[in-house]
């Protein structure tokens, strides 16, 4: 993996978040990245509200967003490969410009009643959005290449930031679309994305150097990476199925409007656990820590099913989701650390983008499996799917051979 040309070790006392941001340039690039990352939780909700409100079809809205998800899974690693070879600033700005134009095109097509196929084409163009979280993690890996403890803290912060953005993004999108006009969420998301990327890429001092001729093979053919990607798919299935099962359950209970708030508790639990995990000094090999995290996630994912099947209380379900979410951030932090360790030098953005692609694939599969179970068995039975997905991730972690 890339090595920093400057000594950025944080020596002395235990690494804290405050001390982490004493490194020159870290506050500026983090601020820009957070602004650019917030729309990730806004675009899907905004598109569904905008399209369903205009065309009167949730099926069409869902198909359009699914197309965008599939396009992102295909395009993301290619954009990341270009980022590794040409640098973040040279790649991210034009890629974001194309994605922003795609969002604006979708807005105009919906507003002016363009044919349905134009919605698919416009939303597919947003797939060029660079992996903002991956680029931020790549900067930390570049700055803290020699400081394992500080990098662990930085990765924990990044995971907490992901959870926060995906918790606030949908709420902000729903508020804008509901109080202003249906296209407001998409418009605001496009402006925030472009603004944040411009601020982020302007911080050249912390940018990892490009690798025009990367060393080593593709991450897909690197020992230790494929099992990690399989684990990301299974973990993504946990997220996708848990979301669908929760929404189906609250809808069946006659509390449809509460679904988003209940889900936010799961993200809040993950965010809090991620911040706490970052304050702990990592002990032992990351492979072993990942297996313990996966075991904890499998165990805690049984809580929503237990509560839904015995208590039938929505507040109790919210508490169960809050506790269950506390295992997801440590799992993601540790898995991302392993991606950073195992990815060949000069291909870090590509490696992390492949991890995100695995997550997106898993979310799509988990959503489908959770929805099918909720429809054909019961909304309560839908909570069994995230348990099965977490157990699968744990088995993959146990059966995978550790690589140095």
């Amino acid at each position: 993996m890339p090595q920093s040309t400057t000594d950025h070790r944080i020596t002395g006392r235990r690494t804290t978040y405050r001390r982490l941001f004493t490194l020159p340039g870290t506050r500026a690039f983090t601020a820009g990245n957070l602004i650019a990352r917030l729309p990730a939780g806004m675009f899907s909700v905004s598109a569904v509200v905008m399209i369903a409100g205009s065309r009167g079809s949730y099926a069409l809205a869902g198909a359009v967003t699914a197309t965008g998800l599939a396009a992102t899974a295909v395009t993301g690693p290619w954009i990341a490969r270009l980022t590794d070879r040409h640098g973040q600033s040279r790649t991210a700005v034009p890629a974001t410009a194309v994605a922003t134009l795609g969002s604006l095109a979708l807005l105009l097509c919906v507003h002016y009643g363009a044919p349905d196929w134009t919605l698919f084409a416009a939303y597919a163009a947003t797939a060029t959005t660079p992996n903002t979280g991956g680029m931020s993690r790549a900067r930390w890996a570049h700055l803290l290449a020699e400081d394992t403890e500080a990098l662990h803290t930085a990765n924990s912060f990044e995971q907490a930031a992901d959870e926060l953005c995906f918790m606030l993004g949908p709420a902000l999108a729903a508020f804008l679309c509901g109080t202003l006009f249906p296209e407001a969420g998409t418009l605001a998301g496009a402006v925030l994305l472009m603004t944040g990327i411009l601020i982020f890429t302007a911080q050249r001092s912390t940018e990892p150097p490009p690798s025009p001729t990367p060393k080593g093979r593709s991450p897909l053919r690197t020992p230790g990476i494929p099992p990690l990607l399989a684990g990301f798919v299974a973990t993504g299935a946990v997220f996708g199925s848990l979301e669908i099962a929760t929404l189906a359950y609250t809808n069946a209970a006659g509390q449809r409007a509460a679904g988003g708030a209940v889900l936010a508790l799961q993200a809040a639990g993950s965010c809090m656990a991620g911040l706490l995990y970052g304050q702990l000094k990592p002990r032992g090999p990351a492979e072993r820590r990942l297996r313990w995290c996966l075991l904890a996630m499998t165990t805690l994912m049984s809580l929503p099913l237990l509560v839904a099947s015995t208590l039938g209380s929505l507040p109790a379900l919210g508490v169960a989701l809050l506790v269950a979410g506390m295992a997801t951030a440590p799992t993601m932090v540790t898995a991302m650390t392993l991606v950073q360790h195992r990815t060949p030098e000069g291909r870090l953005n590509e490696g992390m983008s492949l991890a995100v692609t695995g997550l997106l694939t898993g979310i799509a599969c988990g959503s489908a499996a959770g929805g099918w179970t909720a429809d054909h068995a019961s909304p309560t039975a839908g909570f069994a799917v995230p348990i099965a997905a977490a157990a699968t991730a744990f088995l993959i972690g146990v059966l995978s051979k550790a690589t140095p």
Side-chain angles (χ1 to χ4, degrees):
M1 58 179 283
Q3 299 293 315
S4 174
T5 57
T6 307
D7 185 5
H8 290 286
R9 289 180 64 88
I10 303 177
T11 57
R13 296 169 297 168
R14 177 172 56 90
T15 303
T16 63
Y17 294 106
R18 182 175 180 180
R19 298 187 71 209
L20 193 68
F21 287 101
T22 58
L23 295 176
T26 54
R27 294 184 182 183
F29 88 68
T30 298
N33 192 272
L34 288 177
I35 294 172
R37 206 184 308 191
L38 182 60
M42 298 175 61
F43 282 131
S44 287
V45 173
S46 298
V48 168
V49 172
M50 184 171 61
I51 295 171
S54 173
R55 305 295 169 95
S57 173
Y58 279 98
L60 175 62
V64 170
T65 55
T67 299
L69 185 67
T72 299
V74 173
T75 307
W78 176 68
I79 296 294
R81 193 175 302 122
L82 291 176
T83 301
D84 283 326
R85 293 186 178 184
H86 302 289
Q88 294 182 352
S89 56
R90 289 186 61 187
T91 305
V93 173
T96 303
V98 172
T100 299
L101 290 175
S103 295
L104 296 178
L106 176 68
L107 185 156
L108 294 174
C109 288
V110 171
H111 184 76
Y112 290 104
D116 289 351
W117 68 265
T118 63
L119 307 184
F120 290 90
Y123 203 70
T126 65
T128 62
T129 302
N131 180 5
T132 51
M135 290 193 300
S136 188
R137 289 178 173 91
R139 293 203 178 204
W140 287 118
H142 166 64
L143 295 172
L144 305 171
E146 304 297 331
D147 196 332
T148 301
E149 183 180 342
L151 183 58
H152 167 76
T153 304
N155 283 334
S156 298
F157 169 80
E158 291 296 329
Q159 188 59 39
D162 278 342
E163 300 293 348
L164 183 64
C165 289
F166 277 101
M167 184 168 57
L168 296 179
L172 177 60
F175 172 78
L176 291 173
C177 293
T179 58
L180 298 179
F181 48 90
E183 299 88 355
T186 298
L187 180 60
V191 172
L192 287 172
L193 176 62
M194 195 72 239
T195 302
I197 286 294
L198 289 174
I199 295 173
F200 176 77
T201 55
Q203 315 309 315
R204 298 294 185 91
S205 63
T206 55
E207 181 179 347
S211 301
T213 55
K215 299 178 182 179
R217 63 185 75 182
S218 165
L220 283 174
R221 295 187 290 117
T222 300
I225 292 292
L228 275 178
L229 297 182
F232 276 110
V233 173
T235 303
V238 174
F239 301 153
S241 58
L242 187 63
E243 178 179 351
I244 292 297
T246 302
L247 293 176
Y249 184 85
T250 55
N251 187 39
Q255 300 288 334
R256 185 173 185 178
V262 175
L263 276 174
L265 289 174
Q266 187 268 336
S270 183
C271 182
M272 289 187 296
L275 291 174
L276 177 62
Y277 189 62
Q279 295 283 43
L280 302 177
K281 184 177 181 179
R283 297 181 182 277
E287 291 84 0
R288 187 172 65 190
R289 296 203 308 273
L290 179 60
R291 288 193 287 271
W292 280 110
C293 288
L294 290 170
L295 178 60
M297 184 169 68
T298 304
T299 303
L300 293 181
M301 281 298 155
S302 64
L303 293 178
L305 176 61
L306 180 64
V307 168
S309 58
T310 57
L311 299 180
S313 165
L314 206 57
L317 177 62
V319 174
L321 287 170
L322 178 73
V323 176
M326 291 181 178
T328 58
T331 299
M332 289 295 298
V333 169
T334 309
M336 281 294 187
T337 298
L338 282 171
V339 171
Q340 292 171 339
H341 288 168
R342 296 179 181 180
T343 300
E345 184 177 348
R347 294 182 179 270
L348 189 53
N349 284 288
E350 182 180 356
M352 287 190 290
S353 182
L354 287 170
V356 172
T357 296
L359 278 174
L360 293 177
T361 302
I363 289 172
C365 294
S367 297
W372 188 92
T373 304
D375 284 343
H376 292 81
S378 70
T380 299
F383 287 112
V385 180
I387 301 175
T392 301
F394 174 65
L395 287 176
I396 292 172
V398 169
L399 296 176
S400 300
K401 291 182 179 180
T403 58

